[in-house]
């Protein structure tokens, strides 16, 4: 991957726009990059083609790039039909860039935090109006990981045909360019750090907003269950009356090829002493359909709010949660459980999310 230096990017901005077709979300991303000036660093992760058109998959970083500094990544647009995910990430990035003009507390926070944004991972799918990328592959079913238990038919990932949804790609083929580029970015920017967190923004499931954590390929709990439970607790304590259901994705369904399961397991293999917490925001788009049933007759309407005031409400709704995740990452040493407290969080998490899982016995102190 070629890292584009900021000055060079700004000087070739017009040429790049002429050479590549554009999308409203990509236009907005370029505008935010220009507005951010020297505070932000854009990177081109890869180039993808959709018919005769080509698009850059862009990442933006800001904050301190020291190896001991925690990092948080915000990802959007993994599925081309879910424009609202890309728009939520772009809105938060634009908010930060505007605050950099006057917010001294934000400048202080960025001295001990790394922020990574990929607002639109699948621009080809967005331009074509498809969930999959231009090759017909669902990027969230394409990672090299197999479910350990039965998955729902088709939804859990299939290799029959790219004409059907949730296509995983040919058996044995390398990962699609977009997913591979994201994995390289996360491996480089997040996994070497002692603590890192991801929020990947999606829509289209249920009537409630959900924050999912791994696993999706098995119902077994992750190794950092105590840390997830501690994060949920401070979220509940500081975000009063929030609308989110915090749960493992396996509570809803299992899948093959989940990107975040793959990266979580990579983190465990490469840096077993580090904490990497990938979360998926799954916006409950069925509520938008319930309020406006005509959206059922639009492919985009099933995944996105089509009425302007409702879209604006959704964009506002998630900003405080994303900002909380950035602050929690910067301050992780203040809330991460250790020792007996970590064991307590682990037991409480098992009771909350995995009541059927065998619980470890408490060690009794020997009699005096």
């Amino acid at each position: 991957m070629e890292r584009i230096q900021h000055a060079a990017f700004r000087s070739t901005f017009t040429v790049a726009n002429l050479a590549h077709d554009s999308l409203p979300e990509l236009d907005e991303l370029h505008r935010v990059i220009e507005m951010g000036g020297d505070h932000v660093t854009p990177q081109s992760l890869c180039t993808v083609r959709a018919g005769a058109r080509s698009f850059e998959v862009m990442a933006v970083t800001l904050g301190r790039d020291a190896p001991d500094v925690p990092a948080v990544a915000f990802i959007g647009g993994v599925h081309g039909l879910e424009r609202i995910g890309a728009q939520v990430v772009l809105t938060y990035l634009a908010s930060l860039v505007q605050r950099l003009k006057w917010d001294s507390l934000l400048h202080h926070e960025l001295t001990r935090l790394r922020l990574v944004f990929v607002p639109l991972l699948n621009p080809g799918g967005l331009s074509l109006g498809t969930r999959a990328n231009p090759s017909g592959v669902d990027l969230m079913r394409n990672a090299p990981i197999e479910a350990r238990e039965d998955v729902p038919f088709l939804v859990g990932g299939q290799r029959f045909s790219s004409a059907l949804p949730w296509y995983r790609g040919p058996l044995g083929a390398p990962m699609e360019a977009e997913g591979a580029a994201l994995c390289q970015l996360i491996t480089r920017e997040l996994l070497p750090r002692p603590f890192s967190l991801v929020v990947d923004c999606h829509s289209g499931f249920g009537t409630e907003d959900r924050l999912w954590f791994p696993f999706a390929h098995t119902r077994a709990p992750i190794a950092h269950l105590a840390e997830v439970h501690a994060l949920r607790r401070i979220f509940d304590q500081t975000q009063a009356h929030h609308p989110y259901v915090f749960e493992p994705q396996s509570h809803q369904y299992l899948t093959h090829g989940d990107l975040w399961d793959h990266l979580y397991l990579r983190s465990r293999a490469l840096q077993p002493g580090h904490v990497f917490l990938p979360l998926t925001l799954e916006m409950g788009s069925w509520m938008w359909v319930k309020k406006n049933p005509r959206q059922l007759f639009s492919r985009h309407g099933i995944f996105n709010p089509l009425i302007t005031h409702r879209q604006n409400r959704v964009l506002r709704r998630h900003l405080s949660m994303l900002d909380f995740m950035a602050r929690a990452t910067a301050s992780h040493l203040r809330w991460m459980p250790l020792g007996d407290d970590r064991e307590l969080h682990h037991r409480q998490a098992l009771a909350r999310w995995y009541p059927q899982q065998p619980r470890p016995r408490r060690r009794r102190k020997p009699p005096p």
Side-chain angles (χ1 to χ4, degrees), residues 199-214:
V199 182
D200 180 19
C201 297
H202 291 254
S203 68
F205 183 86
T207 58
E208 296 181 284
D209 295 333
R210 299 174 184 272
L211 284 168
W212 283 340
F213 59 89

Side-chain angles (χ1 to χ4, degrees), residues 19 39 71 93 101 117 138 190 199 208 262 280 298 333 335 351:
H39 294 296
L93 175 59
K101 299 176 182 178
F117 289 83
D138 187 327
L190 270 68
V199 182
E208 296 181 284
H262 170 62
T280 298
S298 164
L333 293 177
W335 59 264

Side-chain angles (χ1 to χ4, degrees), residues 95-322:
S95 171
L96 291 177
V97 166
Q98 291 287 5
R99 285 169 53 194
L100 284 169
K101 299 176 182 178
W102 57 267
D103 191 342
S104 58
L105 289 179
L106 176 59
H107 281 273
H108 175 70
E109 184 178 47
L110 290 177
T111 63
R112 51 195 181 94
L113 178 65
R114 182 70 163 171
L115 291 169
V116 179
F117 289 83
V118 184
L120 187 53
L121 182 66
N122 183 12
L126 191 146
S127 71
L128 297 173
T130 61
R131 173 185 171 91
N133 73 350
S135 300
V137 175
D138 187 327
L139 298 179
M140 286 306 296
R141 304 292 186 272
N142 183 233
I145 183 169
E146 300 292 321
R148 298 179 188 172
E149 300 151 52
D150 291 339
V151 303
F153 181 64
L154 295 183
V155 174
Q158 53 85 18
R159 297 196 192 273
F160 301 125
S161 170
S162 61
L164 297 172
W166 306 294
Y167 180 57
R168 300 182 60 193
L171 181 64
M175 288 181 66
E176 294 295 301
E178 303 94 331
L182 178 65
C183 288
Q184 291 179 31
L185 177 72
I186 297 298
T187 301
R188 182 178 72 246
E189 287 281 357
L190 270 68
L191 300 193
R193 302 171 188 273
F195 182 91
S196 57
L197 186 147
V198 173
V199 182
D200 180 19
C201 297
H202 291 254
S203 68
F205 183 86
T207 58
E208 296 181 284
D209 295 333
R210 299 174 184 272
L211 284 168
W212 283 340
F213 59 89
F215 287 121
H217 77 289
T218 176
R219 291 184 176 85
I222 63 173
H224 294 106
L225 195 60
E227 287 76 11
V228 172
H229 189 266
L231 178 65
R232 182 207 63 84
R233 176 165 292 182
I234 64 168
F235 186 59
D236 286 349
Q237 291 170 344
T238 58
Q239 302 285 308
H241 314 297
H242 69 76
Y244 302 98
V245 177
F246 217 117
E247 64 182 4
Q249 183 177 336
S250 60
H251 274 199
Q252 301 303 328
Y253 58 88
L254 299 181
T255 73
H256 299 293
D258 185 87
L259 270 174
W260 300 116
D261 282 18
H262 170 62
L263 282 165
Y264 180 79
L265 293 177
R266 176 181 288 185
S267 171
R268 296 290 296 152
L270 295 177
Q271 300 286 356
H274 292 184
V275 177
F276 171 62
L277 302 180
L279 305 176
T280 298
L281 166 63
E282 191 72 29
M283 289 175 269
S285 66
W286 297 359
M287 182 58 67
W288 310 328
V289 175
K290 181 179 178 181
K291 292 182 177 180
N292 182 24
R294 288 177 296 178
Q295 292 193 189
L296 278 173
F297 301 100
S298 164
R299 186 168 51 172
H300 285 88
I302 299 174
F303 299 97
N304 305 278
L306 299 184
I307 299 174
T308 300
H309 77 270
R310 195 161 292 140
Q311 180 185 28
N312 292 339
R313 186 181 304 129
V314 171
L315 295 177
R316 290 194 303 269
R317 178 186 183 103
H318 300 294
L319 286 184
S320 62
M321 182 273 290
L322 298 182

Side-chain angles (χ1 to χ4, degrees), residues 23-35:
L23 292 166
E25 288 79 5
L26 277 180
D27 290 342
E28 174 66 10
L29 177 57
H30 286 304
R31 187 186 71 82
V32 172
I33 289 170
E34 287 290 299
M35 190 167 53

Side-chain angles (χ1 to χ4, degrees), residues 323-342:
D323 202 51
F324 166 87
M325 294 299 176
R327 289 172 177 267
T329 300
S331 307
H332 69 281
L333 293 177
R334 291 183 173 270
W335 59 264
M336 283 248 295
L338 299 172
D340 290 343
D341 188 38
R342 187 177 190 276

